[in-house]
């Protein structure tokens, strides 16, 4: 399958939404049900993470999810199986695999990993913890196997040259981290400052720009839209909806309620 590009936001369009979920939390068919619900509600993409332990950038909600997924035996092979199964059924939602370099990529090898993701039908790759010295080779290998890459940069911390590099090298989207800290922490989004950073990134490339960290509600999605970015990324809130749904014994209804609140539809019926 040819990877489906994440579109830039046209003038007057609402900002798109990307969700973060772990392969294995929930397992198997239940995760496929959630991905199909995402497609119904018009979610632009899901970052489908292969779990790894003790992430220093993740707060307790995502760490609990990773632990549940690891205990369920989730790995790259199960992630590729999910992508192969569900990708042909998705009309709108793209699937981006999030892989930790040390836990998942290095043991298997970069080229075999990216080639397997491309063959399975993934629409992009986001590599967590990639050593800077591997960056140029990763871009080259991704291009050779036809696997779009998500690049990452930081508001107020990345230099202009790093912002420019992220913009030039992104073939999926630029992930602009709104602030340093752990996922799940709360603070008001710096809309004015983020607008300036988005403008600077736009000067150097045409890839969509996604803003994450500190985005958990419809209000914050709308604030991301005010910056001129194309997409808002929601991680901990999505994982928490899964956790609550599992605890309540009503996973899919709870997740659909979350999607309805996030997209502003006001009900659990699809858009």
């Amino acid at each position: 399958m040819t990877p489906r590009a994440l579109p830039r936001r046209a003038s007057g369009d609402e900002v798109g939404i990307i969700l973060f979920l772990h392969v294995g939390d929930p397992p198997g068919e239940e995760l496929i049900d959630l991905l199909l619900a995402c497609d119904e509600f018009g979610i632009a993409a899901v970052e489908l993470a292969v779990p790894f332990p003790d992430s220093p950038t993740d707060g307790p909600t995502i760490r609990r999810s990773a632990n549940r997924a690891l205990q369920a035996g989730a790995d790259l092979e199960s992630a590729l199986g999910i992508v192969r199964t569900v990708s042909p059924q998705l009309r709108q939602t793209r699937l981006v695999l999030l892989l930790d370099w040390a836990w998942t990529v290095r043991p298997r090898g970069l080229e075999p990993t990216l080639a397997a993701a491309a063959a399975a039908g993934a629409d992009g790759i986001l590599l967590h913890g990639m050593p800077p010295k591997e960056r140029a080779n990763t871009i080259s290998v991704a291009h050779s196997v036809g696997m779009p890459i998500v690049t990452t940069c930081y508001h107020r911390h990345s230099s202009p040259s790093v912002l420019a590099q992220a913009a030039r090298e992104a073939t999926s989207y630029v992930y602009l981290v709104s602030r340093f800290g752990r996922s799940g922490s709360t603070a008001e989004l710096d809309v004015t400052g983020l607008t300036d950073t988005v403008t600077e990134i736009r000067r150097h490339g045409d890839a969509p720009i996604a803003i994450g960290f500190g985005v958990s509600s419809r209000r914050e999605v709308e604030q991301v839209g005010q910056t001129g970015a194309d997409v808002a990324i929601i991680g901990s809130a999505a994982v928490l909806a899964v956790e609550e749904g599992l605890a309540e014994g009503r996973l899919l209804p709870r997740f659909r309620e979350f999607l309805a609140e996030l997209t502003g539809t006001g009900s659990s019926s699809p858009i």
Side-chain angles (χ1 to χ4, degrees):
M1 291 181 60
T2 301
R4 296 163 295 175
L6 192 71
R8 284 276 303 271
R9 180 162 64 117
S11 176
D13 285 354
E14 289 191 359
V15 65
I17 295 172
I18 294 175
L19 300 183
F20 171 100
L21 293 172
H22 275 118
V23 175
D25 185 43
E29 292 296 325
E30 290 181 303
L31 177 58
I32 289 174
D33 288 342
L34 301 192
L35 295 175
L36 293 174
C38 288
D39 196 52
E40 292 178 33
F41 279 85
I43 299 301
V46 173
E47 291 178 354
L48 203 53
V50 174
F52 57 96
D54 304 323
S55 171
T57 59
D58 286 327
T61 301
I62 288 183
R63 283 193 174 201
R64 289 195 302 270
S65 174
N67 289 337
R68 289 192 298 269
L70 288 168
Q71 289 168 9
D75 57 11
L76 178 59
E77 295 308 320
S78 54
L80 296 175
I82 291 287
V83 172
R84 279 192 294 267
T85 298
V86 76
S87 185
Q89 304 177 57
L90 301 177
R91 298 169 300 160
Q92 302 181 70
T93 302
R94 290 94 177 153
L95 297 179
V96 175
L97 286 176
L98 190 157
L99 308 178
D100 181 69
W101 185 274
W103 186 261
T104 303
V105 178
R106 187 168 60 198
R108 180 170 181 151
L110 175 64
E111 185 167 0
T113 300
L114 297 189
D123 298 301
I125 287 284
L126 173 55
L127 296 175
H128 176 272
M130 179 180 67
K133 67 180 181 179
E134 299 287 349
R135 186 178 186 117
N137 182 54
T138 298
I139 298 298
S140 175
V141 170
H143 179 74
S144 71
V145 302
M147 189 74 264
I149 285 284
V150 178
T151 59
T152 305
C153 54
Y154 292 81
H155 173 54
R156 293 198 180 283
H157 292 278
S158 292
S159 66
S161 64
V162 170
L163 296 178
Q165 183 180 27
R168 289 193 304 267
E169 294 181 348
T171 47
S172 183
Y173 54 89
V174 178
Y175 189 150
L176 175 58
V177 180
S178 69
R179 62 174 184 269
F180 273 132
R182 289 187 173 184
S183 61
S185 57
T186 58
E188 191 71 17
L189 286 174
D190 175 19
V191 175
T192 300
L194 284 165
T195 301
D196 293 339
T197 303
V198 168
T199 300
E200 178 64 18
I201 294 170
R202 287 259 190 261
R203 292 180 56 235
H204 302 283
D206 295 325
I209 299 171
I211 293 178
F213 269 60
V215 184
S216 62
S217 67
R218 182 64 193 171
R219 172 179 176 269
E220 286 142 356
V221 169
E222 291 170 349
Q223 287 180 321
V224 168
Q226 294 169 23
T227 71
D230 302 282
V231 195
I233 300 175
I234 295 93
S236 295
V239 170
L240 184 61
V242 170
E243 184 173 84
E244 292 174 345
L246 290 170
E248 296 166 3
R250 53 187 301 272
L251 173 61
L252 185 57
R254 174 67 188 93
F255 195 74
R256 292 179 71 87
E257 291 166 3
F258 165 73
L259 292 175
E261 295 164 5
L262 196 61
T263 56
T265 61
S267 74
S268 59
S269 300
I271 293 173

